[in-house]
Amino acid sequence: MEEILEEISEVTAKLAIPLTFALVIIYVLRKIGKGKDKNHFINVWNRRLRKAHKPMGIILAIVSLIHGITSQIPVLWGIVCCISIFLLGLNYLLRKRIRKPNWIKIHRILAIIMIITFALHMVEIKTKEHDYDHDDERSIITYQREY
């Protein structure tokens, strides 16, 4: 059973990385596309990604939740990142109750928090994997699950 959960966690992690990149790159592409040298290719991709932004955000929320539930290693920054993803969705749902210029500012601030916590989560995972690879003894987590 643990092998299945580990496989689900790995697959969802591998899905979350490109989804996060695609969701975040929209802002960068929009800024580049508005410049003096308007690039048709960049604007076309930006338009496509903007249309897919909402479904990709929903998929990322589901994928991150599944990843968190099936993860074998509890991690602080992963939890904070998942919370920020859900807050981004909640911010979008409440956008009509929040005045227009404010909801997008809040959305962007939450997106920055999500990016930072996502990066911290990646570092945290690599650090924990390194620690577990070099441990001769069982980890506390494995020990608790076995007994």
Side-chain angles (χ1 to χ4, degrees):
M1 183 65 169
E2 278 193 35
E3 294 86 19
I4 294 170
L5 292 176
E6 189 175 326
E7 187 66 31
I8 292 170
S9 180
E10 284 184 31
V11 168
T12 53
K14 289 177 181 176
L15 285 171
I17 294 168
L19 277 171
T20 301
F21 179 77
L23 286 163
V24 170
I25 198 70
I26 293 170
Y27 182 75
V28 176
L29 290 176
R30 187 171 63 94
K31 288 296 182 186
I32 293 170
K34 280 188 171 182
K36 292 178 185 177
D37 303 325
K38 292 185 179 185
N39 186 323
H40 179 71
F41 177 77
I42 289 174
N43 288 331
V44 167
W45 272 102
N46 188 28
R47 214 171 308 119
R48 288 179 184 167
L49 288 172
R50 277 196 326 243
K51 286 181 181 177
H53 191 75
K54 183 178 169 184
M56 284 191 306
I58 293 167
I59 292 168
L60 180 62
I62 294 166
V63 164
S64 67
L65 183 63
I66 293 169
H67 174 67
I69 291 169
T70 60
S71 177
Q72 301 294 308
I73 307 168
V75 285
L76 171 67
W77 291 114
I79 294 167
V80 175
C81 185
C82 189
I83 290 169
S84 68
I85 291 166
F86 279 90
L87 288 175
L88 278 160
L90 183 63
N91 172 253
Y92 174 77
L93 291 174
L94 297 175
R95 73 190 181 283
K96 291 182 180 172
R97 294 184 183 197
I98 303 170
R99 284 186 272 145
K100 182 139 184 151
N102 292 333
W103 92 264
I104 196 68
K105 287 178 187 175
I106 294 167
H107 199 73
R108 288 178 183 156
I109 291 167
L110 287 170
I112 291 168
I113 291 168
M114 192 261 306
I115 293 164
I116 292 168
T117 57
F118 187 80
L120 290 170
H121 177 56
M122 300 300 280
V123 170
E124 183 179 39
I125 288 297
K126 289 298 174 192
T127 305
K128 287 191 180 226
E129 283 177 357
H130 179 74
D131 290 346
Y132 288 142
D133 288 344
H134 292 32
D135 254 349
D136 290 340
E137 299 175 17
R138 290 178 288 189
S139 71
I140 293 170
I141 298 162
T142 308
Y143 183 79
Q144 287 175 346
R145 287 192 176 153
E146 288 178 0
Y147 299 100

